[in-house]
């Protein structure tokens, strides 16, 4: 089997890289963290025009998906550029509503696909917090077999990433859908959120490694670049290996999810998914999350004291790596799921 991206998929990634490089995401991040969501929403619109959020929405609702492989390509690039906003949550909401179906899907999915709607969500079993709920147009919550639209974002909670604020949604809100289909929809959405977060973590780790390699080439000690020291080379090589081992697991999970989508009856709310899909997603999540966090630790150590300064753009990636590792499935929870699968 040739397990490689197509030329079209690679070009999609390159086009997103070019778009985000021109967007100056560190400035967007600083505005987002300060509560000014305008630049971030404008960037969100450009990403939607490029087709990013339509990847999770079926054609019947104005999307082009579900296309898990292309979604992985997109999220890796968004992770490399630390795009703010509930990216994984919006993609997961697209899957959640598509499987749930009904009027709520007809109301929200076209907006998700077009970028007009930014959505956050919480799912039972994944913690009570909805990332960036204050910037979202809707916050969905699933408890048991009920899907509700939260009446408000709720109160903020402490977050290690200032550009990814956490909120406990306000309780209540009338159910917008209920029944056994919601449980199946929540399982599919949880897998999508974990999968997208794994891709974001991989991209975050790649950028941390790139920035660190560039830095050790220019920082000198004893008259030579510190990057020429064997200990530094070994540390960077270990970081690279971790990221490269995570990549095939991520795209392997994409293939499993694509197989799930193509099965008869998928998307109707009746399919629980093949046994391997959840385990494959969990394997990708724990491996990419740990690799991204290891890249952050390497970057911080090799940058020295300058790595602690908020003025350095790298600080935004350093603060993001650990939350990406832990959200939508902690390492221990993912390992348990792999063993169970």
């Amino acid at each position: 089997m040739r397990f490689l991206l197509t030329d079209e998929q690679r070009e999609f990634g390159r086009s997103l890289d070019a778009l985000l490089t021109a967007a100056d995401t560190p400035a967007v991040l600083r505005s987002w963290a300060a509560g000014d969501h305008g630049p971030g929403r404008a960037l969100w619109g450009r990403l939607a025009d490029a087709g990013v959020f339509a990847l999770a929405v079926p054609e019947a609702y104005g999307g082009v998906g579900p296309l898990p492989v292309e979604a992985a390509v997109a999220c890796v690039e968004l992770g490399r550029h630390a795009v703010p906003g509930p990216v994984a949550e919006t993609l997961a909401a697209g899957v959640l509503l598509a499987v749930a179906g009904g009027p709520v899907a007809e109301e929200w999915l076209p907006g998700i696909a077009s970028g007009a709607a930014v959505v956050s969500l919480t799912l039972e079993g994944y913690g009570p917090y909805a990332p960036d709920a204050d910037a979202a147009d809707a916050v969905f919550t699933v408890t048991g077999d009920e899907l509700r639209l939260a009446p408000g974002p709720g109160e903020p909670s402490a977050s290690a990433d200032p550009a990814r604020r956490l909120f406990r949604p306000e309780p209540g809100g009338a159910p917008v859908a209920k029944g056994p289909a919601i449980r199946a929809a929540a399982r599919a959405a949880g897998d999508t959120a974990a999968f997208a977060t794994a891709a974001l973590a991989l991209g975050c780790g790649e950028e941390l490694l790139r920035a660190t390699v560039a830095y050790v080439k220019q920082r000198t000690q004893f008259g030579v670049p510190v990057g020429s020291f064997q200990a530094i080379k070994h540390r960077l090589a270990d970081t690279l290996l971790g990221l490269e081992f995570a990549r095939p697991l991520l795209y392997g999970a994409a293939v499993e999810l694509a197989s799930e989508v193509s099965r008869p009856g998928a998307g109707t709310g009746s399919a629980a998914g093949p046994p391997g899909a959840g385990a494959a997603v969990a394997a990708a999540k724990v491996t990419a999350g740990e690799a991204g966090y290891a890249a952050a630790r390497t970057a911080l150590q090799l940058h020295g004291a300058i790595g602690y300064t908020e003025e350095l753009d790298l600080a935004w990636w350093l603060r993001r790596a650990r939350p990406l590792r832990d959200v939508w499935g902690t390492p221990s929870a993912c390992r348990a799921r792999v063993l169970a699968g």
Side-chain angles (χ1 to χ4, degrees):
M1 177 184 293
R2 285 179 58 82
F3 198 60
L4 297 171
L5 297 176
T6 66
D7 291 340
E8 291 80 6
Q9 290 164 342
R10 291 193 187 94
E11 181 56 35
F12 179 49
R14 285 191 290 266
S15 68
L16 291 177
D17 179 41
L19 184 159
L20 292 168
T21 299
D24 188 16
T25 52
V28 176
L29 280 163
R30 286 183 168 86
S31 296
W32 191 275
D36 178 8
H37 302 132
R41 290 296 295 253
L43 178 58
W44 194 277
R46 293 197 292 274
L47 290 170
D49 290 341
V52 170
F53 302 107
L55 295 172
V57 177
E59 293 182 14
Y61 298 100
V64 297
L67 295 174
V69 177
E70 286 75 7
V73 171
C75 287
V76 168
E77 292 301 324
L78 270 60
R80 285 207 311 116
H81 291 273
V83 171
V87 172
E89 292 73 24
T90 295
L91 292 173
V95 172
L96 172 72
L97 299 179
V99 178
V104 66
E106 296 174 0
E107 178 180 358
W108 286 99
L109 284 177
I112 289 175
S114 69
V118 176
V119 177
S120 191
L121 81 162
T122 65
L123 299 175
E124 195 171 32
Y126 287 98
Y129 297 113
D132 297 307
D134 61 330
D137 300 297
V139 179
F140 291 101
T141 65
V142 176
T143 304
D145 61 358
E146 288 190 343
L147 171 63
R148 295 174 181 266
L149 182 60
E155 292 297 320
S157 299
S159 173
D161 181 356
R164 184 179 169 84
R165 301 175 67 197
L166 302 177
F167 291 81
R168 188 187 292 266
E170 292 181 7
V176 293
K178 62 173 60 178
I182 300 304
R183 293 184 181 272
R187 287 194 295 270
D191 283 346
T192 300
F195 171 72
T197 303
L200 293 169
L202 178 60
C204 179
E206 288 181 347
E207 176 57 21
L208 285 163
L209 178 60
R210 183 208 63 77
T212 305
V213 169
Y215 181 72
V216 299
K217 286 181 178 179
Q218 68 182 29
R219 179 185 174 189
T220 60
Q221 193 172 23
F222 308 117
V224 297
V226 297
S228 65
F229 300 156
Q230 190 176 46
I232 301 295
K233 291 180 179 179
H234 286 178
R235 185 68 184 268
L236 293 170
D238 288 343
T239 302
L240 176 61
L241 283 174
L243 295 168
E244 289 303 317
F245 272 107
R247 193 182 314 281
L249 289 176
L250 176 68
Y251 287 110
V255 171
E256 291 281 1
L257 289 172
S259 299
E260 178 178 341
V261 169
S262 65
R263 289 184 308 113
T268 64
S270 60
V281 169
K285 174 64 169 61
V286 65
T287 308
E290 294 280 32
Y293 182 52
R297 291 171 63 90
T298 296
L300 185 58
Q301 181 180 26
L302 299 188
H303 275 79
I306 194 174
Y308 289 95
T309 60
E310 291 190 3
E311 290 77 10
L312 188 70
D313 288 343
L314 188 77
W316 296 100
W317 281 260
L318 289 172
R319 291 179 173 183
R320 181 152 294 194
R322 183 164 183 170
L324 288 175
R325 184 196 70 171
D326 295 337
V327 73
W328 294 112
T330 63
S332 60
C334 288
R335 290 190 177 95
R337 192 174 186 189
V338 171
L339 290 173

